[in-house]
Amino acid sequence: GNRKVAMPLPSVSMAALRSRDAAALEALRASLSSVGFLHLSDHGIASEVLGALSVARAFFESDEDTKSKAAHARKGFIPVDGCVNAVRPPHLHEKFSCGRLADSLVAGDPYYSGPSDEAALYFGDANQWPDEADAPGFRAAYEAAYRAFEGLCLDLHAAVAAALRLPPDFFDAALRRHVTNLCALHYPARRAPA
Protein backbone atom coordinates (compact mmCIF):
# COMPACT_ATOMS: atom_id res chain seq x y z
CA GLY A 1 0.00 0.00 0.00
CA ASN A 2 0.87 3.62 0.29
CA ARG A 3 3.42 4.18 2.98
CA LYS A 4 3.97 7.69 4.26
CA VAL A 5 7.45 8.65 5.29
CA ALA A 6 7.90 11.71 7.46
CA MET A 7 10.76 13.91 6.34
CA PRO A 8 11.89 16.71 8.60
CA LEU A 9 11.93 20.11 6.96
CA PRO A 10 15.36 21.66 7.53
CA SER A 11 15.49 25.24 8.80
CA VAL A 12 18.29 27.46 7.49
CA SER A 13 19.07 31.03 8.51
CA MET A 14 19.29 33.46 5.59
CA ALA A 15 21.38 35.77 7.79
CA ALA A 16 23.90 32.95 8.22
CA LEU A 17 23.81 32.21 4.48
CA ARG A 18 24.44 35.87 3.66
CA SER A 19 27.55 35.78 5.87
CA ARG A 20 28.55 32.49 4.14
CA ASP A 21 28.56 30.56 7.40
CA ALA A 22 29.96 27.11 6.54
CA ALA A 23 27.41 25.18 8.63
CA ALA A 24 24.48 27.08 7.07
CA LEU A 25 25.84 26.52 3.55
CA GLU A 26 26.18 22.81 4.26
CA ALA A 27 22.62 22.69 5.67
CA LEU A 28 21.36 24.41 2.51
CA ARG A 29 23.23 22.00 0.24
CA ALA A 30 22.05 18.98 2.22
CA SER A 31 18.41 20.08 2.33
CA LEU A 32 18.26 20.81 -1.39
CA SER A 33 20.04 17.53 -2.17
CA SER A 34 17.70 15.41 -0.05
CA VAL A 35 14.31 16.90 0.80
CA GLY A 36 14.31 19.59 -1.87
CA PHE A 37 12.68 22.15 0.43
CA LEU A 38 13.62 24.14 3.48
CA HIS A 39 12.28 26.63 5.97
CA LEU A 40 14.17 29.89 5.51
CA SER A 41 14.46 31.92 8.71
CA ASP A 42 16.04 35.31 9.40
CA HIS A 43 15.21 36.54 5.89
CA GLY A 44 14.70 40.12 7.06
CA ILE A 45 11.59 41.01 5.04
CA ALA A 46 8.78 40.64 7.55
CA SER A 47 7.77 44.32 7.67
CA GLU A 48 7.40 44.57 3.89
CA VAL A 49 5.44 41.35 3.71
CA LEU A 50 3.10 42.32 6.53
CA GLY A 51 2.51 45.71 4.92
CA ALA A 52 1.59 44.11 1.62
CA LEU A 53 -0.68 41.60 3.30
CA SER A 54 -2.62 44.24 5.20
CA VAL A 55 -3.21 46.40 2.10
CA ALA A 56 -4.18 43.31 0.09
CA ARG A 57 -6.65 42.27 2.78
CA ALA A 58 -8.18 45.76 2.79
CA PHE A 59 -8.32 45.76 -1.02
CA PHE A 60 -10.18 42.43 -1.12
CA GLU A 61 -12.72 43.84 1.35
CA SER A 62 -13.44 46.71 -1.09
CA ASP A 63 -16.59 46.77 -3.18
CA GLU A 64 -16.57 45.19 -6.64
CA ASP A 65 -16.51 48.56 -8.44
CA THR A 66 -13.32 49.56 -6.63
CA LYS A 67 -11.63 46.24 -7.37
CA SER A 68 -12.74 46.23 -11.00
CA LYS A 69 -10.86 49.51 -11.64
CA ALA A 70 -7.65 47.47 -11.34
CA ALA A 71 -8.96 44.43 -13.22
CA HIS A 72 -6.75 42.68 -15.75
CA ALA A 73 -6.50 39.12 -17.06
CA ARG A 74 -2.93 38.64 -15.78
CA LYS A 75 -1.57 41.68 -13.91
CA GLY A 76 -3.90 43.35 -11.47
CA PHE A 77 -7.16 42.24 -9.91
CA ILE A 78 -8.55 38.94 -11.17
CA PRO A 79 -12.03 38.03 -9.86
CA VAL A 80 -13.26 34.55 -8.97
CA ASP A 81 -13.40 32.53 -12.24
CA GLY A 82 -11.66 35.45 -13.97
CA CYS A 83 -8.46 33.66 -14.88
CA VAL A 84 -8.85 32.38 -18.41
CA ASN A 85 -6.36 29.58 -18.67
CA ALA A 86 -6.48 26.52 -20.90
CA VAL A 87 -4.19 24.64 -18.51
CA ARG A 88 -6.15 25.00 -15.26
CA PRO A 89 -9.85 24.99 -14.43
CA PRO A 90 -11.46 28.16 -13.01
CA HIS A 91 -10.45 29.02 -9.47
CA LEU A 92 -12.49 29.68 -6.36
CA HIS A 93 -10.35 32.63 -5.38
CA GLU A 94 -9.92 36.20 -6.43
CA LYS A 95 -6.40 37.50 -6.62
CA PHE A 96 -4.17 40.46 -7.15
CA SER A 97 -1.08 39.74 -9.21
CA CYS A 98 1.83 41.93 -10.19
CA GLY A 99 4.71 40.94 -12.43
CA ARG A 100 8.18 42.42 -12.60
CA LEU A 101 8.32 46.07 -11.79
CA ALA A 102 9.08 48.34 -14.72
CA ASP A 103 12.26 49.68 -13.15
CA SER A 104 13.70 46.16 -12.84
CA LEU A 105 13.38 45.35 -16.54
CA VAL A 106 16.49 45.79 -18.68
CA ALA A 107 15.76 48.74 -20.96
CA GLY A 108 16.11 47.98 -24.65
CA ASP A 109 16.36 44.20 -24.15
CA PRO A 110 14.17 42.56 -26.83
CA TYR A 111 13.47 39.74 -24.38
CA TYR A 112 11.02 42.09 -22.67
CA SER A 113 9.64 43.93 -25.66
CA GLY A 114 10.33 41.62 -28.60
CA PRO A 115 7.80 40.01 -30.88
CA SER A 116 7.88 36.61 -29.16
CA ASP A 117 4.77 35.06 -27.61
CA GLU A 118 6.65 34.77 -24.30
CA ALA A 119 7.52 38.48 -24.22
CA ALA A 120 3.92 39.40 -24.97
CA LEU A 121 2.56 36.98 -22.36
CA TYR A 122 4.86 37.85 -19.48
CA PHE A 123 5.89 41.45 -20.14
CA GLY A 124 3.43 42.81 -22.73
CA ASP A 125 1.12 44.36 -20.17
CA ALA A 126 1.94 46.81 -17.42
CA ASN A 127 0.91 46.03 -13.86
CA GLN A 128 -2.54 47.43 -13.07
CA TRP A 129 -2.81 49.14 -9.70
CA PRO A 130 -5.82 50.27 -7.67
CA ASP A 131 -6.31 54.03 -7.49
CA GLU A 132 -4.45 55.52 -4.53
CA ALA A 133 -7.69 57.11 -3.32
CA ASP A 134 -9.41 53.70 -3.29
CA ALA A 135 -6.51 51.74 -1.76
CA PRO A 136 -4.16 54.11 0.09
CA GLY A 137 -0.60 52.77 0.24
CA PHE A 138 -1.42 49.61 -1.72
CA ARG A 139 1.00 50.11 -4.59
CA ALA A 140 3.89 51.30 -2.40
CA ALA A 141 3.50 48.39 0.03
CA TYR A 142 3.07 45.80 -2.74
CA GLU A 143 6.08 47.10 -4.69
CA ALA A 144 8.18 47.07 -1.49
CA ALA A 145 7.19 43.44 -0.88
CA TYR A 146 7.95 42.50 -4.50
CA ARG A 147 11.40 44.11 -4.29
CA ALA A 148 12.08 42.39 -0.97
CA PHE A 149 11.19 38.96 -2.38
CA GLU A 150 13.15 39.64 -5.56
CA GLY A 151 16.21 40.58 -3.49
CA LEU A 152 15.77 37.54 -1.27
CA CYS A 153 15.61 35.30 -4.35
CA LEU A 154 18.86 36.76 -5.70
CA ASP A 155 20.57 36.39 -2.31
CA LEU A 156 19.33 32.81 -1.96
CA HIS A 157 20.62 31.85 -5.43
CA ALA A 158 24.02 33.33 -4.58
CA ALA A 159 24.01 31.24 -1.39
CA VAL A 160 23.08 28.12 -3.39
CA ALA A 161 26.04 28.81 -5.70
CA ALA A 162 28.31 29.14 -2.65
CA ALA A 163 26.91 25.95 -1.12
CA LEU A 164 27.65 24.09 -4.35
CA ARG A 165 31.11 25.69 -4.58
CA LEU A 166 30.20 27.44 -7.84
CA PRO A 167 31.27 30.95 -8.84
CA PRO A 168 29.23 33.60 -6.94
CA ASP A 169 27.67 34.89 -10.17
CA PHE A 170 26.79 31.42 -11.50
CA PHE A 171 23.02 32.08 -11.62
CA ASP A 172 23.17 35.79 -12.51
CA ALA A 173 22.60 35.46 -16.26
CA ALA A 174 19.56 33.21 -15.77
CA LEU A 175 18.08 35.42 -13.04
CA ARG A 176 18.56 38.68 -14.93
CA ARG A 177 15.53 37.76 -17.05
CA HIS A 178 13.39 36.11 -14.42
CA VAL A 179 9.64 35.83 -14.82
CA THR A 180 7.99 36.27 -11.43
CA ASN A 181 4.67 37.32 -9.99
CA LEU A 182 3.66 38.36 -6.51
CA CYS A 183 0.10 37.18 -5.94
CA ALA A 184 -2.29 37.73 -3.06
CA LEU A 185 -5.18 35.26 -2.99
CA HIS A 186 -8.54 35.68 -1.30
CA TYR A 187 -11.12 32.91 -1.04
CA PRO A 188 -14.51 34.57 -0.56
CA ALA A 189 -17.23 32.68 1.27
CA ARG A 190 -19.04 30.28 -1.06
CA ARG A 191 -22.78 30.34 -1.31
CA ALA A 192 -24.68 27.12 -0.87
CA PRO A 193 -26.41 25.92 -4.05
CA ALA A 194 -30.05 26.98 -4.25
Side-chain angles (χ1 to χ4, degrees):
N2 292 339
R3 184 173 161 223
K4 294 182 180 181
V5 177
M7 296 185 89
L9 187 62
S11 183
V12 181
S13 165
M14 190 64 214
L17 291 173
R18 285 184 176 116
S19 68
R20 299 300 184 256
D21 175 80
L25 290 171
E26 177 52 29
L28 175 63
R29 188 204 61 73
S31 68
L32 295 179
S33 299
S34 59
V35 179
F37 296 93
L38 60 107
H39 170 259
L40 194 61
S41 65
D42 306 320
H43 47 70
I45 60 172
S47 63
E48 290 92 342
V49 172
L50 292 175
L53 291 176
S54 67
V55 295
R57 192 171 292 117
F59 176 74
F60 287 128
E61 292 171 359
S62 301
D63 60 64
E64 294 305 314
D65 288 339
T66 298
K67 292 187 282 190
S68 69
K69 290 179 191 176
H72 190 275
R74 289 184 295 272
K75 295 180 180 178
F77 173 69
I78 303 167
V80 173
D81 291 336
C83 185
V84 179
N85 190 324
V87 179
R88 295 183 295 263
H91 297 285
L92 300 175
H93 64 259
E94 57 186 358
K95 73 178 177 179
F96 187 89
S97 178
C98 92
R100 283 195 75 174
L101 304 177
D103 61 1
S104 73
L105 301 177
V106 180
D109 187 335
Y111 179 77
Y112 300 111
S113 58
S116 74
D117 290 341
E118 291 82 12
L121 175 64
Y122 297 118
F123 306 110
D125 301 309
N127 291 319
Q128 302 297 308
W129 299 102
D131 291 336
E132 182 66 20
D134 293 334
F138 183 94
R139 182 174 181 170
Y142 218 81
E143 285 183 343
Y146 183 94
R147 284 188 179 91
F149 281 119
E150 185 177 42
L152 176 62
C153 178
L154 297 173
D155 288 351
L156 184 57
H157 278 84
V160 169
L164 298 175
R165 295 178 184 90
L166 297 169
D169 61 351
F170 183 81
F171 295 109
D172 287 1
L175 295 174
R176 194 170 297 117
R177 292 176 161 179
H178 67 81
V179 177
T180 55
N181 289 307
L182 177 58
C183 298
L185 305 179
H186 175 248
Y187 288 83
R190 293 179 62 192
R191 297 179 192 182

